[in-house]
Amino acid sequence: MRPLSFGLLLFAFVFLNAQCGRDDCEVVPGGKLYNARVPVNYSPMQERFKIGDTITIEINVPNEVKDTLSGELLQIRDVAFDDVWGGDIGGVISRLFKTQEDSTRWIYGAKEFDYIQQKGKVQVTGGSIPALAVTFSREADKRAVKFQIMPQKNGIYSLSFFTPHINVTNQVGNYCAAGLQLHFGDSVAYGYHLLNEFDVNKVGTYQQRIGAFTFVVEE
C-alpha cells in the first residue's frame, strides 16, 4: 500500500477543520436563537359563528422578518422550513368541553371543518390525532397561503399554527449555531376570555395562547 502524500494529508486536515468549525463566527452557549412574528389574518375576526359559516385564514411569511428582541432584520428568503406532517408548518384546532363530572377536556377538531383551498395548500393529517399541514406558495416577496374553513359542529374551538425551531446556521447571522423560531399571529390571544370557565392547567395560560384564535360555533 502506498503511503499518503504530505499534500493529501494536509488537504484532509484543512477539509476536516472546515467541516467541524469556523474561525470567523461568534460562539453563543446553546447557539443563537432568533424569534420573529408572522402575520396571520382571520376574517371575520369575531367570537361567534354558526355551523356552515366561512372563516378565511391568510398567512404571509415575508422574506425579511424582524427579530423580536434585537429588532435586527433577518433575511429568510432561502431558509427551508421543517417538514411538519407533510407541510411547511402545522396547525392545530382543538375543541374544548366539560364532562358531566365538570372536568375539562379537549380533542383535536380539524376533521370537524370543511376546507376551501385558495392559495397554497392545507390538508388534514390522518390518524388518531388529526391536525393541519400547511404548504405555502412562493411569491417574489413572501411565502403565502390562504384558505377557508367551515365549522360542521358546535363548540368552543381554538386554532393556532406553528413550526419547530428552524436551523439557520450559516444562513442568518454570523454565529456558529443559530436557530429561528417563528410565532404565527399577533402578540395577543384572540378570544382567550372564552376559555375562562375551563381549567387553565388543561387549556394553557393567556401567554401560552398568544397567537391563537378562539371562537364559539353555535347551531
Side-chain angles (χ1 to χ4, degrees), residues 64-128:
E64 183 180 76
V65 296
K66 181 183 292 188
D67 179 54
T68 56
L69 182 62
S70 68
E72 179 184 356
L73 294 178
L74 313 174
Q75 302 297 325
I76 64 168
R77 173 194 296 271
D78 299 321
V79 169
F81 286 6
D82 289 338
D83 184 346
V84 184
W85 305 315
D88 293 322
I89 65 172
V92 173
I93 305 178
S94 55
R95 175 165 59 85
L96 295 102
F97 59 95
K98 290 275 193 178
T99 66
Q100 292 182 344
E101 294 77 24
D102 202 38
S103 174
T104 295
R105 293 193 62 187
W106 59 273
I107 64 170
Y108 292 97
K111 291 184 176 179
E112 297 175 0
F113 292 78
D114 288 337
Y115 298 83
I116 300 175
Q117 313 277 347
Q118 294 186 315
K119 182 187 296 183
K121 181 181 180 181
V122 60
Q123 57 186 350
V124 178
T125 62
S128 60

Side-chain angles (χ1 to χ4, degrees), residues 16-74:
L16 288 173
N17 267 339
Q19 298 302 304
C20 295
R22 293 166 48 195
D23 59 7
D24 63 342
C25 63
E26 183 177 347
V27 176
V28 176
K32 172 68 175 179
L33 177 60
Y34 296 102
N35 289 273
R37 292 205 169 273
V38 173
V40 180
N41 183 61
Y42 302 101
S43 180
M45 178 60 75
Q46 62 191 47
E47 293 183 353
R48 297 186 178 273
F49 296 89
K50 299 288 186 181
I51 290 177
D53 281 353
T54 299
I55 305 171
T56 301
I57 300 160
E58 187 170 8
I59 306 174
N60 294 298
V61 185
N63 290 333
E64 183 180 76
V65 296
K66 181 183 292 188
D67 179 54
T68 56
L69 182 62
S70 68
E72 179 184 356
L73 294 178
L74 313 174

Side-chain angles (χ1 to χ4, degrees), residues 129-148:
I129 306 178
L132 303 179
V134 178
T135 303
F136 292 107
S137 65
R138 295 298 297 261
E139 301 180 5
D141 59 343
K142 62 186 176 183
R143 296 173 171 93
V145 68
K146 184 177 181 181
F147 60 94
Q148 294 177 319

